[in-house]
Amino acid sequence: MRLDTCQGVCVHTEVVDAVNKKMESEEMLFQLADFFKALGDSTRIRILHALSFSELCVCDLASLLNMSSSAVSHQLRVLRGQKIVKYRKDGKNAIYSLDDAHVATLLEQGLEHVNE
Amino acid sequence: MRLDTCQGVCVHTEVVDAVNKKMESEEMLFQLADFFKALGDSTRIRILHALSFSELCVCDLASLLNMSSSAVSHQLRVLRGQKIVKYRKDGKNAIYSLDDAHVATLLEQGLEHVNE
DNA sequence: GGAATATGTGAGCATATATTCAAATGAAGG
DNA sequence: CCTTCATTTGAATATATGCTCACATATTCC
């Protein structure tokens, strides 16, 4: 017989049970995954990295990243959805910035990790 | 004429230039995106959250998440690739743990963000 | 050596997602 | 009002990705 899951011989039951009790809810972990997923795209990372230096309008971002405004706007929508960026209107422009300092900190720490 | 990109009227040139100078290299930002991408999946988040409490073998993780060992192993490969988890062999078992405390900190901060 | 078990891996499929294209919305100015 | 321009949005498409299945590898025990 071949089961793809473990047959109970190798499972460290006590430890698994203890960890299981401490785990956050599925719902919470899904939200956490969605949050990191929003950070896990090179376009969105470049947007956020740029915004960590200064607030910028969609046009500025498109110019900076050498991309269409449409593509940038689509990605900003994702970031707004996760409350990672916020914006204010100034005439025809929408001026985006990081939602809070917390986000900048996470980016910093990510960069530290990448730099070994 | 309709260009999808901005025609220079709205671009805050000085700011864009200043930000452009401060930006990390494309290469670095790609790596950063790949790092967050590795965190941006519910299966991998659940694995990491579990490992934040205790080291666990593949079998334990499969049992805890109610998934096949194969699926877990595939995701552990992604996490290894980003140096997010490490493992040691103990007989037939591969016992995984978070690569460093840094990762646990990032998870904590992510959870704080999700909890508003 | 051979059986049993835990883990790793490659191919295939089904889903998710990033960009483009076309069009809509909204604001400023003539 | 009409034009212009910044931004947003929906549909379509091409690519990326997670899981399954089958098989390979590795280790322990007989």
Side-chain angles (χ1 to χ4, degrees):
Chain A
M1 181 172 68
R2 297 265 308 128
L3 276 182
D4 202 13
T5 50
C6 194
Q7 279 109 44
V9 183
C10 79
V11 181
H12 307 95
T13 321
E14 333 73 34
V15 184
V16 170
D17 286 350
V19 170
N20 198 31
K21 286 197 183 64
K22 295 182 191 168
M23 296 277 285
E24 296 279 343
S25 70
E26 294 279 312
E27 170 64 16
M28 184 71 70
L29 296 176
F30 265 89
Q31 284 183 39
L32 183 56
D34 283 341
F35 170 64
F36 283 124
K37 193 177 302 184
L39 300 179
D41 172 78
S42 61
T43 296
R44 291 192 293 267
I45 278 291
R46 287 191 299 157
I47 289 174
L48 294 173
H49 188 241
L51 292 180
S52 74
F53 297 116
S54 171
E55 59 175 16
L56 294 164
C57 72
V58 179
C59 232
D60 294 335
L61 286 166
S63 166
L64 197 56
L65 307 188
N66 200 32
M67 290 181 64
S68 72
S69 299
S70 177
V72 170
S73 183
H74 274 296
Q75 299 310 325
L76 285 169
R77 180 184 174 83
V78 175
L79 294 171
R80 283 198 315 267
Q82 292 295 325
K83 303 221 192 309
I84 296 173
V85 301
K86 63 178 190 295
Y87 73 105
R88 60 187 169 83
K89 290 300 292 273
D90 178 34
K92 280 182 290 192
N93 294 328
I95 303 190
Y96 281 83
S97 54
L98 301 185
D99 192 272
D100 59 16
H102 197 224
V103 174
T105 305
L106 272 165
L107 289 176
E108 285 280 339
Q109 293 192 285
L111 270 175
E112 282 177 32
H113 179 91
V114 168
N115 290 325
E116 255 78 3
Chain B
M1 179 173 68
R2 297 267 308 131
L3 276 181
D4 202 13
T5 49
C6 193
Q7 279 110 45
V9 183
C10 78
V11 180
H12 307 96
T13 320
E14 333 72 37
V15 183
V16 170
D17 286 349
V19 170
N20 198 31
K21 286 198 182 65
K22 294 182 191 168
M23 296 276 285
E24 297 278 343
S25 70
E26 294 279 313
E27 170 65 14
M28 184 70 71
L29 294 177
F30 265 89
Q31 284 182 39
L32 183 56
D34 283 341
F35 171 64
F36 282 123
K37 194 176 300 183
L39 300 179
D41 171 78
S42 61
T43 297
R44 291 192 292 269
I45 279 291
R46 288 192 298 157
I47 289 174
L48 294 173
H49 188 242
L51 292 180
S52 75
F53 297 115
S54 171
E55 59 175 17
L56 294 163
C57 70
V58 179
C59 232
D60 294 335
L61 287 166
S63 166
L64 197 56
L65 307 188
N66 199 31
M67 292 182 62
S68 71
S69 299
S70 177
V72 171
S73 184
H74 272 295
Q75 300 311 325
L76 286 169
R77 180 184 172 85
V78 175
L79 294 170
R80 282 198 317 264
Q82 291 294 326
K83 304 223 193 306
I84 296 173
V85 300
K86 62 179 191 295
Y87 73 105
R88 61 185 170 83
K89 290 301 292 272
D90 178 34
K92 281 181 291 193
N93 294 328
I95 303 189
Y96 281 82
S97 55
L98 300 185
D99 192 272
D100 59 17
H102 197 223
V103 175
T105 305
L106 274 164
L107 289 177
E108 286 279 340
Q109 294 193 285
L111 270 176
E112 283 177 29
H113 179 90
V114 169
N115 290 327
E116 254 77 2

